[in-house]
Amino acid sequence: MTRMGKAASWVAGILLLLIVVLVVVIATFDWNRLKPTINQKVSAELNRPFAIRGDLGVHWARNRAEPGWRSWIPWPQVHAEDIMLGNPPDIPDVTMVHLQRVDATLAPLALLHKEIYLPWIKLQQPDARLIQLASKKNNWTFTLASSENSEADAAPSAWSFRMDNILFDQGQLRYRDAINKADVTVNINSLGKPVPYAQVTGGDDKQKGAGDFVFGWQAKGTYNQQPLSGDGRIGGMLSLRSKTTPFPLQADLRNGTTRVRLEGTLQDPLNLGGLDVRLRFSGDTLANLYGLTGVLLPDTPPYETDGHLTARFNDAKGALFRYEKFNGHIGDSDIHGSLTYRQGKPRPKLSGELTSRQLRMADLGPLIGVDSGKGSEKTARAKAQRGEAATQPADRVLPYDKFETKSWDAMDADVKFSGKRIEHSSKLPLSDLYTHLTLEKGDLLLDPLRFGMAGGNINTTIRLEGSRSPMRGRADLHARKLQLRQLFPDVTAMQRSLGQLNGDATLSGTGNSVAALLGSSNGQLRLLMNDGLISRSLMEIAGLNVGNYVVGKLFGDDEVRINCAATDLTLRQGVATPRLFVFDTENAVINVTGNVNFASERLDLSVNPESKGIRIITLRSPLYVRGTFKNPDAGVKTGPLIARGAAAVALGAVVAPAAALLALISPSDTDANQCSNVLQQMKSQK
């Protein structure tokens, strides 16, 4: 053998010996010696305690699934026991995450092109605790030591990380949040073997290609001071990191009386690509969804909806949610439509269109501070549990329930609503409803709020300035061509009437309830009715006991035709005073004076009749209407009878109101409208 050959043999032998020694050293090395260094480095980088408190070890095994010569290269399989990750100093609990054991395998050849590749990692009984304090500090926001360097000094890493699968037997996640008043524990379990998406959801064609369900979960605790429970399924790691395979979701969650069910997929989850689920809500009131979703909705009767929810989380203008083509009910009213919710700045915004084919009028009551009658006992119990007193005084009639304006500025809104057919009692002959609602900076506008009623229509604009305290409100109302025979369908005699009711009203006030707004209101009300009828039976049908008494005193039990009834009321600080309040009947002219106080809910009216021709003496007796709205009182005024001609003298002071009321008569109705002649006579009084 030549000298060169001997040298080469020695070199090869030494290299082989070094490799053998290296393999033996690695195979027999006590990796626990590295724990202090690892614990220190990780703790320093994360700015919170980290410790591997159990055994740390590595063993080597061939990966026979690799092709060719690669299958002969041993892969390191690392295990660590009793791992603890702590919390930052300002979080009172010690532990954030505890793992009984972690096993992982590392692909060595991937290191050659600067990739850390873990084909799988297995966790034994992971236990995580997420905490948020009232100060908004939380333990899931990490401040890394390396991130404290300036951007100029920090160069992007050439290394990448990849993990294919996570396995675990049973995991637990506890979430405590002082802001949302939440304490929820979620247990996550492996399903044992993957469950096809279609097997759980029934085979939705829109979700073809969705990943399998791999894990199941159960939740229990409290959220927003209400009991919370739920269960569901989610996909595995393969679909979680895939940009093309939708990640499957399925959940059934209850919070208090609210239930939320969903099934669908999440696209490109690691980058929050989008959401596509079937979503069903149900509960006692839509207002309770604010704590779960952050979407401000009105207080309503019990509801249920079922629709299709899609979301784009990375939209340039803010996350965009669409709840499309949903169907459901609110109270006894059906509801259909589509809504869009955008999480933009300075406030999120809700927009869309809603339709009800059959709308129960009582279900709209809570929107204007009136109890719908559904679930009132449950509402009262809930208020009692919260220590809230009943808002409606026993001796008052006007609604005292408060508008919850404090949350109106949580979002903006632009929603159109149509009620095609309205279910109501015969006392309220409404046929349809349309409104366009806008909410901006805490101010609510209904323009228009339009009702079809008794063959005519009521067109209203309502503005409620919730940004003010107390709230300021304004209403402009116009009633046109309300047919009397349709207004009083239960009065047989009224079916022969061709008369109409027309009116205008403008009211403004301050306060956070209907009672407060009316009690402080200023404005004007004008009403005009022609060719009508008045009788005791009509008053009984309308539920006006005092009117029943007054009509009985004036006309007995007879039905009396009204040629024209006209009123022009002014309101100042909640007190309505008639400039003109007159009934021209076939037998008499009835003039009403006095006032109605909406703040105290008291009446103080005088009814002064003037007979036409020969009439029984009681028709010339003045009457009074006093007392409260709740308990009114009526009677005959004591003292001398009013002089003949007194009513006519009173009409001499109503020239201006008569002229204003003439504007309520449509030009096409002038010839047939008896109010035209009556008002022209009043207008000509000197």
Side-chain angles (χ1 to χ4, degrees), residues 161-340:
F161 177 79
R162 174 185 166 194
M163 180 170 57
D164 277 353
N165 206 359
I166 295 180
L167 307 170
F168 59 84
D169 49 359
Q170 182 179 18
Q172 185 178 89
L173 172 67
R174 186 176 181 187
Y175 171 64
R176 287 184 290 159
D177 190 336
I179 297 176
N180 294 308
K181 300 179 179 60
D183 188 348
V184 181
T185 299
V186 181
N187 291 306
I188 305 174
N189 301 276
S190 172
L191 296 178
K193 64 178 181 179
V195 178
Y197 178 86
Q199 183 175 322
V200 175
T201 62
D204 188 347
D205 290 338
K206 295 181 179 180
Q207 305 289 0
K208 286 183 177 179
D212 295 335
F213 289 104
V214 176
F215 299 108
W217 60 269
Q218 301 84 36
K220 191 172 184 179
T222 59
Y223 185 86
N224 199 22
Q225 296 182 323
Q226 295 289 323
L228 181 144
S229 63
D231 56 60
R233 299 178 179 90
I234 57 175
M237 190 65 187
L238 291 175
S239 53
L240 181 64
R241 65 179 181 82
S242 174
K243 293 185 177 182
T244 57
T245 301
F247 182 78
L249 302 168
Q250 187 260 332
D252 187 347
L253 192 66
R254 293 175 174 84
N255 181 214
T257 59
T258 300
R259 184 180 183 185
V260 180
R261 289 170 287 172
L262 64 87
E263 52 191 40
T265 60
L266 184 64
Q267 288 78 40
D268 193 8
L270 296 182
N271 297 309
L272 289 178
L275 186 69
D276 188 343
V277 299
R278 178 187 178 188
L279 181 62
R280 287 167 284 181
F281 289 111
S282 61
D284 278 356
T285 170
L286 284 169
N288 288 345
L289 288 175
Y290 180 67
L292 282 174
T293 66
V295 181
L296 178 65
L297 295 170
D299 189 11
T300 66
Y303 70 93
E304 184 173 2
T305 69
D306 185 346
H308 180 213
L309 176 69
T310 61
R312 296 204 311 265
F313 299 107
N314 294 322
D315 193 280
K317 297 181 180 180
L320 182 65
F321 298 84
R322 299 182 186 276
Y323 193 38
E324 299 174 317
K325 298 179 181 179
F326 64 82
N327 300 291
H329 67 83
I330 298 177
D332 293 327
S333 306
D334 67 292
I335 188 75
H336 317 272
S338 296
L339 293 171
T340 298

Side-chain angles (χ1 to χ4, degrees), residues 56 61 213 302 369 405 414 439 480:
L56 174 64
F213 289 104
T405 60
D414 187 341
L439 179 64
R480 291 293 183 270

Side-chain angles (χ1 to χ4, degrees), residues 295 320-323 326 337-342 348-354 411-416 436-437:
V295 181
L320 182 65
F321 298 84
R322 299 182 186 276
Y323 193 38
F326 64 82
S338 296
L339 293 171
T340 298
Y341 181 74
R342 183 182 290 280
K349 184 174 182 178
L350 180 71
S351 57
E353 295 191 13
L354 304 175
M411 76 173 192
D412 293 341
D414 187 341
V415 178
K416 297 176 182 178
H436 183 187
L437 178 151

